[in-house]
Amino acid sequence: PEEMDPDAREATAICARHGDDPSQLLEILHDLQDARGAVAEAALPAIARALNLSRADVHGVVSFYHDFRRAP
């Protein structure tokens, strides 16, 4: 299950450190990339759930900013 994915677990923890605040999405994504080497696909649903955003919103931000890597 998704909850067992290490990228999803890390993403959830990083969101919590940022107070699950959707306005912190860019900072959360940068922290996740710093911690895991990339913003993995498995992390996106966890971030969306924690921040109460749609997966499409999170995916759109990751896709728009070229500094986010999808693989380490």
Side-chain angles (χ1 to χ4, degrees):
E2 174 188 304
E3 303 309 331
M4 301 308 287
D5 183 273
D7 291 303
R9 274 201 310 270
E10 182 76 21
T12 301
I14 289 171
C15 287
R17 287 201 298 273
H18 284 273
D20 292 332
D21 182 352
S23 73
Q24 297 292 306
L25 178 57
L26 283 175
E27 290 82 358
I28 288 165
L29 293 170
H30 280 292
D31 286 357
L32 180 61
Q33 181 164 280
D34 290 346
R36 306 286 304 168
V39 177
E41 192 68 36
L44 302 186
I47 293 169
R49 198 167 37 253
L51 303 184
N52 199 28
L53 296 170
S54 73
R55 289 183 191 201
D57 286 339
V58 176
H59 188 271
V61 170
V62 172
S63 300
F64 180 80
Y65 291 97
H66 296 287
D67 36 337
F68 294 122
R69 294 182 301 279
R70 300 309 290 274

